[in-house]
Amino acid sequence: MIEIKDVYLHYNNLDMNAYLEALQNISLTIARGERCVIIGPSGCGKSSLLYLLAGLFKPTRGKITINGQQVTGPREEVALILQDHGLFPWKTVLENAELGLMIRNIPRVERRRKVLGILDSLGIKEHAGKYPAQISGGQRQRVAITRALAQEPEILLMDEPFSALDALTREQLQNLLLNLWKERLLTLVLVTHNIEEAVFLGDRIIILSPQPGKILKIIANKGSGLVSYRQSREFYDQCSYIRSVLEGETL
Ligand SMILES: Nc1ncnc2c1ncn2[C@@H]1O[C@H](COP(=O)(O)OP(=O)(O)O)[C@@H](O)[C@H]1O
Ligand SMILES: [Mg+2]
């Protein structure tokens, strides 16, 4: 479904007359319905890779295709949830959640119906009239998820979606995400620097090296996505293994 082929990304730092190599030689195929988690140290190019998939940047070299078509800009079937939720503080929960549909000129009545339905299913409909500052971090993330789902995407890209949350809220939202993935037959590409999150959610885990980001290892992660997995021996072993791969490169 998603094909990344020999992708390089350079940023031009014109003021310094230099360029920064953010991603190097990334090749990866992601199948429909997969939960692909990308993990790596801060600054290794995780967000950059998601922006490329979202069509916000173009690769310096190489090619990305989605559903057989080269990515040249944002696509309707791809939704991106930004690292800091991307909510506007001066808009209400409902207005924030509607934003994607508004940009697409979906009529107000239809927009409302759809968004209120999703807010309801995510348990935050009663907060529809509040502003982001009046709700909790977990609720804000649910608003961002609502905005993305309203678009009815096939592919959901998430940039460290739960990193600012306390442990319990994070686990609740991870479970919620798994339910949504199942219900809506999503293909998930999630970026994180949290090892436990990667191991719990990813049926495949892609480990990136420090900048410039290269693929260090791809790990098939059987057992992921089940609540019982969190407590299992295999879970801890897999976390230790990934930690050792990450540390081996960073030390
Ligand atoms: N717009 C930009 N211009 C120049 N350099 C950038 C830009 N965005 C990110 N970088 C650099 O590219 C590298 C990768 O950044 P990023 O993709 O944000 O990493 P991550 O999300 O893994 O922390 C970092 O060294 C960062 O400083
Ligand atoms: Mg980032």
Side-chain angles (χ1 to χ4, degrees), residues 11-13 20 22 41-49 57 83 159-160 211:
Y11 287 112
N12 288 311
N13 292 329
L20 181 135
S42 178
C44 76
K46 302 182 295 298
S47 297
S48 302
L49 185 55
F57 293 160
Q83 194 157 353
D159 194 358
E160 309 208 17
Q211 189 246 324

Side-chain angles (χ1 to χ4, degrees), residues 63-94:
K63 192 169 152 184
I64 298 179
T65 54
I66 290 181
N67 286 330
Q69 289 174 319
Q70 184 160 3
V71 175
T72 53
R75 300 172 64 87
E76 231 171 57
E77 74 268 37
V78 182
L80 169 68
I81 299 183
L82 296 167
Q83 194 157 353
D84 57 359
H85 328 297
L87 302 183
F88 292 119
W90 60 87
K91 287 189 180 288
T92 63
V93 163
L94 181 63

Side-chain angles (χ1 to χ4, degrees), residues 79-81 97 118 143-153 156-157:
L80 169 68
I81 299 183
I118 302 173
V143 179
I145 294 173
T146 303
R147 179 196 283 172
L149 292 180
Q151 189 185 326
E152 295 184 12
L156 184 59
L157 311 174

Side-chain angles (χ1 to χ4, degrees), residues 10-214:
H10 297 170
Y11 287 112
N12 288 311
N13 292 329
L14 293 173
D15 50 333
M16 289 184 281
N17 207 11
Y19 75 87
L20 181 135
E21 193 165 18
L23 295 167
Q24 206 178 67
N25 198 22
I26 306 282
S27 290
L28 182 65
T29 305
I30 300 171
R32 188 177 293 275
E34 202 179 317
R35 295 189 313 272
C36 181
V37 172
I38 297 164
I39 188 166
S42 178
C44 76
K46 302 182 295 298
S47 297
S48 302
L49 185 55
L50 277 194
Y51 296 159
L52 289 175
L53 291 175
L56 300 178
F57 293 160
K58 288 200 177 75
T60 310
R61 268 167 67 187
K63 192 169 152 184
I64 298 179
T65 54
I66 290 181
N67 286 330
Q69 289 174 319
Q70 184 160 3
V71 175
T72 53
R75 300 172 64 87
E76 231 171 57
E77 74 268 37
V78 182
L80 169 68
I81 299 183
L82 296 167
Q83 194 157 353
D84 57 359
H85 328 297
L87 302 183
F88 292 119
W90 60 87
K91 287 189 180 288
T92 63
V93 163
L94 181 63
E95 289 164 348
N96 265 296
E98 279 185 339
L99 215 62
L101 298 182
M102 226 161 113
I103 291 167
R104 291 210 172 81
N105 294 319
I106 308 290
R108 184 190 161 96
V109 176
E110 190 185 334
R111 222 159 65 201
R112 290 265 136 115
R113 185 185 48 77
K114 194 176 238 175
V115 165
L116 284 172
I118 302 173
L119 287 173
D120 194 21
S121 71
L122 299 192
I124 47 168
K125 191 178 167 192
E126 78 233 52
H127 302 297
K130 293 187 182 164
Y131 291 90
Q134 298 173 304
I135 58 177
S136 71
Q139 289 165 339
R140 268 176 234 148
Q141 193 50 257
R142 285 170 198 252
V143 179
I145 294 173
T146 303
R147 179 196 283 172
L149 292 180
Q151 189 185 326
E152 295 184 12
E154 295 171 27
I155 298 171
L156 184 59
L157 311 174
M158 303 178 94
D159 194 358
E160 309 208 17
F162 311 133
S163 57
L165 305 173
D166 62 89
L168 224 60
T169 308
R170 183 186 308 149
E171 288 189 8
Q172 279 171 0
L173 280 168
Q174 288 168 349
N175 295 341
L176 171 77
L177 179 63
L178 285 173
N179 289 337
L180 293 169
W181 166 80
K182 218 180 289 168
E183 268 170 38
R184 293 177 173 253
L185 311 171
L186 294 167
T187 302
L188 207 62
V189 184
L190 184 143
V191 154
T192 184
H193 60 248
N194 182 304
I195 296 175
E196 285 77 16
E197 181 158 287
V199 173
F200 180 61
L201 290 176
D203 51 23
R204 210 153 52 117
I205 301 170
I206 318 297
I207 306 183
L208 295 186
S209 70
Q211 189 246 324
K214 300 183 285 289

